[in-house]
Amino acid sequence: MPVPVLKSGRLDVMGNTSSRTLRLLSLLQTHRHWAGSELADRLNVSLRTVRRDIDRLRDLGYPVDPQRGIDGGYQLAPGATLPPLVVDDEEAVALVLGLLAGAQSPVAGTAEASVRALGKVIQVMPKRLRRRVDALRSTTEQATWVPPAASVEGDTLIAVAQACRDSERLDFDYTAADHVRSQRRVEPHRLVSLGRNWYLVAYDLTRQDWRSFRLDRLAAPRTTGTRFGPRDLPADGAAAFVRAGIAKIPRPVQVDAVIAAPVDEVRSRVGRWASIDERADGTCRLQFSTESLDWATLTLGATGADFAIQGPPELLEHLRTWADRFTRATKIRGARLK
Amino acid sequence: MPVPVLKSGRLDVMGNTSSRTLRLLSLLQTHRHWAGSELADRLNVSLRTVRRDIDRLRDLGYPVDPQRGIDGGYQLAPGATLPPLVVDDEEAVALVLGLLAGAQSPVAGTAEASVRALGKVIQVMPKRLRRRVDALRSTTEQATWVPPAASVEGDTLIAVAQACRDSERLDFDYTAADHVRSQRRVEPHRLVSLGRNWYLVAYDLTRQDWRSFRLDRLAAPRTTGTRFGPRDLPADGAAAFVRAGIAKIPRPVQVDAVIAAPVDEVRSRVGRWASIDERADGTCRLQFSTESLDWATLTLGATGADFAIQGPPELLEHLRTWADRFTRATKIRGARLK
DNA sequence: CTCTTTAGGACAGGAACTGGCATCAAGGGG
DNA sequence: CCCCTTGATGCCAGTTCCTGTCCTAAAGAG
């Protein structure tokens, strides 16, 4: 007789109200609209209790909009804070892939947040999902690739980020700018994304001083498992510390060109992120900024039309070398190079 | 006297155990390692209760690894399912941007999942965060842009996805392939990502039949707010239905080239997703597949070295046109085009 | 071995959860 | 305008289960 019959009061297993609150949250996130009776059915409680649970959610700060009358129900609405997100397997994988892409294209300061979120998810993600992520990553990478940036392995990024978050000592191999390799043992402090690169600010236990390391020159990170206490960084902040040691952030390229094609066509081929102005003679003026001449070249090439460069001059030079190489490539038959 | 002093039993507001379970989950997600006493402190309960709460989490299926002895504590471990994710504001923004990118580069079937997750997050995201997402999107777009695909507005994608999920009628403007514009009222059924395009499978209420719509030709979607019941789709599934109406999926381009540069250099410039084989004479062979000739061209250009194309022939042709246009561009002075 | 920290049983008081019932309010449809 | 459906709220009684205290075990670290 596994099911004890109770006249009233709480029933079945344990952690009831907690578990039910989470399940309710999860249900409200999958569908927009839920009838009270349906929720009661799913949660195995009376309608009255469902209403109380909904009230509980509201008290927790997650607004639930009611809808009365026939075909009424509840729906989760935007509140002051984001409720705990309940995602299924596929969504989790998509989420991680998206965050990886976001972490590796440090555009507008979301890179750090991407890595933080990534750390959270990776930590608790079932292993089977990690495998799926690994399998898909190689495929996805292409779409998120940004030409000439020194790229960091996703695994490295996550491992270092977690070590920072958890204040765990970190060992790794480092290849300095002068190609000298060394083994390091550090107390990782913060991860900073500057320009197109990732930097680790850490206290180097061997050198007994603060250092910053470029993540793309860092290999085989492994945590020793030992945690360490806080230590004061001399500079004003991690980002300032890195910037003091670098002082050169890649300067963006301001592209300005005239395209021999109508505005609409250029826009459809180039995307919405460039500014495109119409000109009187059916051509248009294309302006955008990027950090890479390669990217600028691709954009101009993708317009599929003739164009003229107003600036910058180095782009013109870059185009010339590409044109020369392409021309040579079209004249070579087979694999005979050199 | 706002704080009632109680000798025993539960205290303060309401929804205690639920709220505490969520807060515990949130704490365990931010740091890897938490001492029991610290948790007790944060949650304002006794140590014994914290242990019981941890037990509750374990019963809910979220393994919490203990660590005994000095400097012991708890940490959330990967379990069978992903626990509800508690993310802060910045992480939420990063998450949405990542998912948007994932939804718009339909690589390996994660596109649908990205859109689903996106729907969940958007629905409950505080408005101030939505504004931040909107502000950042234009900046981010560049990095996730894939050359010549018909691009779909993020807002459109989300709106249609939500209408599908919630079974709500949808009105929109549609521009067919023959440029004829029309107003549609449909019952949206599913969103399918095929090749590089998004398709909406829906029952057209005006035409009284099932149709599939390309999302990039769809504008100003708006839900009427009225829900509808399930309706049987004639074909085997949404994807099959779309495929039946299309039948041409963009064929991938298999690129095979020889580069006049050493393997290491090519790899560092091109990325890890292409296969690069060493050749005897210091050159290397580069192979990869992509759906876009433009992309292939960029990749070859980014190697920064001379190269020869083994195939496909259309790539050679494509290179020639680019080279010609680039050459012309370098010969034009100023904005005088045509 | 000792110290620290988690694990978990027993216990008692009391808070809080549950279902049922009644009343009110709000939409939708005829 | 009336009726029906569905959510909002208050109250009650029964009982469950949550909480802090006390205590004993067990497991790592030094």
Side-chain angles (χ1 to χ4, degrees):
Chain A
M1 192 184 304
V3 178
V5 176
L6 301 175
K7 287 206 298 280
S8 88
R10 315 182 183 181
L11 67 152
D12 77 283
V13 289
M14 58 79 54
N16 248 310
T17 103
S18 299
S19 158
R20 221 181 41 237
T21 306
L22 283 177
R23 268 193 297 158
L24 182 56
L25 212 45
S26 145
L27 286 176
L28 287 175
Q29 279 178 31
T30 54
H31 254 311
R32 177 131 73 181
H33 193 92
W34 284 95
S37 58
E38 203 167 351
L39 290 174
D41 212 40
R42 294 263 189 157
L43 301 173
N44 262 312
V45 287
S46 72
L47 204 63
R48 184 69 185 84
T49 301
V50 167
R51 299 225 169 91
R52 271 193 280 245
D53 284 350
I54 298 268
D55 260 356
R56 206 197 314 281
L57 281 188
R58 297 204 248 245
D59 277 6
L60 284 170
Y62 311 128
V64 181
D65 281 356
Q67 190 169 343
R68 305 167 108 133
I70 195 166
D71 199 35
Y74 298 94
Q75 80 178 72
L76 203 53
T81 63
L82 203 68
L85 246 38
V86 182
V87 296
D88 64 33
D89 285 6
E90 294 184 359
E91 290 164 359
V93 172
L95 210 136
V96 170
L97 290 175
L99 287 174
L100 268 170
Q104 270 153 354
S105 73
V107 208
T110 51
E112 274 102 344
S114 293
V115 170
R116 274 210 316 279
L118 215 40
K120 281 187 181 175
V121 183
I122 292 283
Q123 172 107 44
V124 294
M125 192 164 56
K127 289 198 185 58
R128 64 173 192 288
L129 295 186
R130 265 206 91 145
R131 281 197 296 273
R132 267 166 69 181
V133 168
D134 288 340
L136 285 175
R137 195 158 46 173
S138 51
T139 322
T140 320
E141 216 146 0
Q142 176 170 358
T144 63
W145 174 65
V146 180
S151 69
V152 180
E153 290 268 357
D155 293 335
T156 303
L157 193 56
I158 295 168
V160 175
Q162 287 191 333
C164 284
R165 186 192 62 183
D166 302 333
S167 300
E168 289 189 358
R169 279 195 189 158
L170 192 70
D171 288 355
F172 55 84
D173 305 334
Y174 195 69
T175 310
D178 51 6
H179 298 287
V180 177
R181 293 198 182 169
S182 56
Q183 286 255 349
R184 305 291 180 124
R185 167 160 295 183
V186 304
E187 293 181 349
H189 182 71
R190 275 210 59 181
L191 210 46
V192 180
S193 155
L194 214 60
R196 281 221 174 282
N197 285 114
W198 279 104
Y199 299 88
L200 166 65
V201 177
Y203 186 83
D204 190 320
L205 289 168
T206 322
R207 312 290 197 281
Q208 296 274 8
D209 196 11
W210 288 94
R211 295 290 157 90
S212 67
F213 303 93
R214 260 182 58 176
L215 234 60
D216 53 301
R217 294 180 180 152
L218 182 157
R222 51 211 174 271
T223 56
T224 60
T226 55
R227 287 190 300 286
F228 59 87
R231 188 190 293 269
D232 279 338
L233 187 67
D236 303 331
F241 179 80
V242 173
R243 201 170 283 127
I246 312 268
K248 69 158 171 61
I249 303 171
R251 196 166 50 82
V253 180
Q254 293 281 350
V255 177
D256 188 351
V258 176
I259 316 287
V263 176
D264 290 343
E265 193 179 327
V266 173
R267 188 180 305 280
S268 75
R269 283 173 174 266
V270 159
R272 285 186 302 291
W273 48 269
S275 87
I276 306 171
D277 298 317
E278 191 149 18
R279 282 159 54 95
D281 52 355
T283 66
C284 64
R285 183 176 184 192
L286 176 70
Q287 288 175 294
F288 61 93
S289 76
T290 172
E291 287 177 9
S292 140
L293 286 173
D294 284 350
W295 194 264
T297 307
L298 167 70
T299 303
L300 292 169
T303 59
D306 272 323
F307 55 90
I309 303 291
Q310 309 267 98
E314 63 263 34
L315 177 57
L316 209 61
E317 192 53 45
H318 199 251
L319 277 175
R320 194 168 331 209
T321 51
W322 276 47
D324 291 348
R325 283 193 286 124
F326 285 1
T327 307
R328 278 198 297 279
T330 58
K331 286 180 183 153
I332 300 170
R333 297 311 311 167
R336 195 157 312 148
L337 245 182
K338 263 193 173 172
Chain B
M1 191 183 298
V3 178
V5 176
L6 300 176
K7 286 207 298 280
S8 89
R10 314 181 183 180
L11 66 151
D12 74 287
V13 289
M14 60 80 57
N16 247 308
T17 105
S18 298
S19 157
R20 222 181 40 237
T21 306
L22 283 176
R23 268 193 298 159
L24 182 56
L25 213 46
S26 145
L27 286 176
L28 287 175
Q29 278 178 32
T30 54
H31 253 310
R32 177 131 74 183
H33 194 92
W34 285 95
S37 57
E38 203 166 352
L39 290 175
D41 212 40
R42 295 263 188 155
L43 301 173
N44 263 312
V45 287
S46 73
L47 203 61
R48 186 69 184 87
T49 302
V50 167
R51 298 222 169 91
R52 274 192 276 246
D53 284 350
I54 298 268
D55 260 356
R56 205 197 314 282
L57 280 188
R58 298 204 248 244
D59 277 7
L60 284 171
Y62 312 128
V64 180
D65 281 357
Q67 191 169 341
R68 305 168 106 130
I70 194 166
D71 199 36
Y74 298 94
Q75 80 179 76
L76 204 52
T81 63
L82 203 68
L85 290 174
V86 183
V87 296
D88 64 33
D89 285 6
E90 295 185 0
E91 290 163 359
V93 172
L95 210 135
V96 170
L97 290 175
L99 287 174
L100 268 171
Q104 269 153 354
S105 74
V107 207
T110 50
E112 274 102 344
S114 293
V115 171
R116 274 211 315 279
L118 216 40
K120 281 186 181 175
V121 184
I122 293 283
Q123 171 107 45
V124 295
M125 193 163 57
K127 289 197 186 58
R128 63 172 191 289
L129 295 187
R130 269 205 85 150
R131 280 197 296 273
R132 267 165 71 181
V133 168
D134 288 340
L136 285 174
R137 194 156 48 171
S138 51
T139 323
T140 320
E141 217 147 359
Q142 176 171 359
T144 62
W145 173 65
V146 179
S151 69
V152 180
E153 289 268 357
D155 293 335
T156 303
L157 193 56
I158 295 169
V160 175
Q162 287 192 333
C164 283
R165 187 191 62 183
D166 302 331
S167 300
E168 289 189 358
R169 279 195 188 158
L170 193 70
D171 287 356
F172 55 85
D173 305 335
Y174 194 71
T175 311
D178 51 6
H179 299 287
V180 176
R181 294 197 182 169
S182 55
Q183 287 255 350
R184 306 291 180 125
R185 166 161 296 182
V186 303
E187 293 181 350
H189 183 69
R190 275 210 59 181
L191 211 46
V192 180
S193 154
L194 213 60
R196 283 220 174 283
N197 286 115
W198 280 103
Y199 299 88
L200 166 66
V201 177
Y203 185 83
D204 191 318
L205 289 167
T206 323
R207 313 293 196 275
Q208 296 274 7
D209 196 10
W210 289 94
R211 294 290 158 88
S212 66
F213 303 93
R214 263 182 56 175
L215 234 61
D216 53 301
R217 295 183 180 150
L218 183 156
R222 52 212 174 268
T223 55
T224 61
T226 56
R227 288 191 299 286
F228 60 88
R231 187 190 294 269
D232 280 337
L233 187 67
D236 303 330
F241 179 81
V242 173
R243 201 170 282 126
I246 313 269
K248 67 159 170 57
I249 303 170
R251 196 167 49 83
V253 180
Q254 293 280 350
V255 178
D256 188 351
V258 176
I259 316 286
V263 176
D264 291 342
E265 193 179 326
V266 173
R267 188 179 304 281
S268 73
R269 284 172 173 267
V270 158
R272 286 186 304 293
W273 48 270
S275 89
I276 306 171
D277 298 317
E278 189 148 20
R279 282 160 53 96
D281 52 355
T283 67
C284 64
R285 183 177 182 192
L286 177 69
Q287 287 175 294
F288 62 93
S289 75
T290 171
E291 286 177 11
S292 138
L293 286 173
D294 284 349
W295 194 264
T297 308
L298 168 68
T299 304
L300 291 169
T303 59
D306 271 324
F307 56 91
I309 304 292
Q310 308 269 96
E314 62 264 34
L315 176 57
L316 209 61
E317 192 52 44
H318 198 251
L319 277 175
R320 195 170 333 225
T321 52
W322 276 47
D324 290 349
R325 282 193 287 126
F326 285 1
T327 307
R328 279 198 296 278
T330 58
K331 286 180 182 152
I332 300 170
R333 297 311 310 164
R336 196 159 310 149
L337 246 181
K338 262 193 172 172

